[in-house]
Amino acid sequence: MANATQQRPDAQQAEERTAPSGRVVYKAILKEGEEELERASAALFWSGLSMGFSLIAEGLLTARLPDEPWRPLVSKFGYSTGFLIVVLGRQQLFTENTLTPVLPLLKRRERATAANLLRLWAVVLAANLLGALAVALAVTHGDAFGPADRAAFAEIGRRALAPGFGEVVARGVFAGWLIALMVWLLPFAESGRVWVIIVLSYVVGVGEFSHVIAGSAEVFAAAAAGGASWAAALGGFVAPALVGNVIGGVALVAVLNHAQVVSGESGNDL
């Protein structure tokens, strides 16, 4: 009896110290995806307007740092700001939604779920892009920032527009993959949540991977400043980045993790 009594606490401690399995993480994100699909369109729209702060923070750092080769390594920490605000504030980000609400669709594969997913994507994407546009117009034409700051915002946008269509798509795949992977890691990151967001979004920024929302604020700022056309901003960045982000988020993360977890499991077990 004494040995059995000792073994129970030991087993409990071992379980507490064991990292959650992929199946447990899957269930947590599946539940979150179900909740997202149940939200009204208005609630989704008004929670998606903060990503422009990635442009603001990065631009402010860029304008205040010397023009040296190491400057992007520091200024790109500002790129993480919008992601911290949106993710920790439980707001909506389109590239997050290439993972969480996709899992209910992969599980049920119903037409109604697919239609609901498309509704969520359309509302969140529209809100994110309008928020990016509002920030771009404010930082370009408002009085809150000086000439050096505005020049930094426009230059960041011009750099985002420099690659061709195919390169933006390819870079967008990596951005979509990393941000959706961030969502996969967050449910059980506990006290490390902030660092998960900072590290992965920093890699997106310093790698100049094309994120459709953070990057839209950048290219819209360039267009608002007259450094690029609006057609170039939409057709040369927003469209290909959107394609790449969806491929990265859905195909390389949601589908692979879904297959990994449900392989050999019955639908009723999840």
Side-chain angles (χ1 to χ4, degrees):
M1 291 293 293
N3 288 337
T5 303
Q6 280 184 322
Q7 287 173 358
R8 279 197 297 270
D10 290 345
Q12 183 177 355
Q13 289 182 34
E15 184 176 350
E16 290 173 354
R17 291 174 181 271
T18 302
S21 67
R23 189 164 177 267
V24 173
V25 177
Y26 175 92
K27 281 188 172 183
I29 297 178
L30 177 63
K31 181 176 182 294
E32 185 176 335
E34 299 279 8
E35 293 172 354
E36 291 295 320
L37 289 173
E38 292 173 0
R39 295 182 66 182
S41 295
L44 291 168
F45 184 89
W46 290 113
S47 66
L49 301 172
S50 297
M51 271 305 298
F53 283 99
S54 284
L55 168 66
I56 293 173
E58 182 183 348
L60 292 176
L61 286 172
T62 299
R64 286 155 178 77
L65 290 169
D67 188 7
E68 298 289 344
W70 52 262
R71 181 167 69 174
L73 296 176
V74 178
S75 65
K76 288 299 181 181
F77 278 109
Y79 185 82
S80 300
T81 304
F83 292 92
L84 283 167
I85 294 171
V86 170
V87 177
L88 294 182
R90 304 295 296 170
Q91 299 181 29
Q92 292 295 316
L93 179 61
F94 177 77
T95 44
E96 279 190 280
N97 282 303
T98 58
L99 173 64
T100 44
V102 172
L103 295 185
L105 176 62
L106 291 174
K107 180 184 176 184
R108 290 196 295 269
R109 302 185 185 183
E110 298 171 347
R111 183 174 299 178
T113 304
N116 201 10
L117 173 64
L118 292 176
R119 173 193 67 89
L120 185 149
W121 276 6
V123 172
V124 172
L125 180 62
N128 285 170
L129 290 177
L130 286 174
L133 176 61
V135 169
L137 293 174
V139 301
T140 304
H141 299 297
D143 297 327
F145 302 98
D149 297 330
R150 291 197 292 270
F153 298 144
E155 178 58 28
I156 291 170
R158 284 193 291 272
R159 286 204 307 269
L161 281 168
F165 190 99
E167 189 174 347
V168 173
V169 171
R171 293 184 181 191
V173 170
F174 283 99
W177 187 356
L178 285 167
I179 298 305
L181 183 59
M182 177 184 75
V183 177
W184 186 265
L185 296 174
L186 283 176
F188 294 94
E190 299 178 350
S191 60
R193 287 172 62 86
V194 168
W195 287 110
V196 169
I197 298 168
I198 290 174
V199 170
L200 290 182
S201 59
Y202 176 76
V203 172
V204 173
V206 80
E208 296 188 345
F209 300 138
S210 303
H211 186 273
V212 64
I213 307 306
S216 290
E218 298 170 356
V219 298
F220 290 164
S229 69
W230 289 101
L234 293 171
F237 182 86
V238 176
L242 174 62
V243 172
N245 287 175
V246 170
I247 293 173
V250 175
L252 297 183
V253 178
V255 172
L256 292 182
N257 279 304
H258 176 80
Q260 167 190 295
V261 172
V262 304
S263 178
E265 302 275 4
S266 67
N268 293 329
D269 292 333
L270 297 173

